[in-house]
Amino acid sequence: MDKNIGEQLNKAYEAYRQACMERDHAVKELQQKVENYMQQIREQQEKIELQNSIIAKLKSQLAALNANR
């Protein structure tokens, strides 16, 4: 009977250990994805800021042209 209990404990521990390893892997993968998405967001924000400054410059040029007419 003790051998059977020992085997069950070993199987349960191995299942727990495997689940912990899978969880740790999933957490690392999620963290990497979050970092990648944050980097993409920063890059997109920089592009938006650049485009907004170009738009503002073009609007001022257009206003100057319209003022001259």
Side-chain angles (χ1 to χ4, degrees):
M1 187 74 169
D2 288 335
K3 182 181 178 185
N4 194 16
I5 292 173
E7 288 176 10
Q8 288 177 340
L9 284 173
N10 283 339
K11 286 180 183 179
Y13 174 75
E14 184 58 33
Y16 171 76
R17 190 176 76 79
Q18 185 66 31
C20 288
M21 288 175 24
E22 290 173 6
R23 179 204 60 208
D24 292 345
H25 177 73
V27 167
K28 287 179 184 177
E29 189 175 324
L30 180 59
Q31 287 173 335
Q32 184 63 44
K33 286 182 179 183
V34 168
E35 289 174 13
N36 290 343
Y37 291 143
M38 294 301 289
Q39 179 63 30
Q40 289 176 359
I41 289 170
R42 283 190 294 273
E43 290 171 2
Q44 292 299 320
Q45 287 173 331
E46 289 174 4
K47 287 180 183 179
I48 290 169
E49 290 173 10
L50 176 63
Q51 289 176 345
N52 283 338
S53 68
I54 292 170
I55 290 169
K57 187 183 289 186
L58 290 172
K59 281 182 178 180
S60 68
Q61 290 175 356
L62 180 60
L65 284 174
N66 287 337
N68 289 336
R69 287 185 181 188

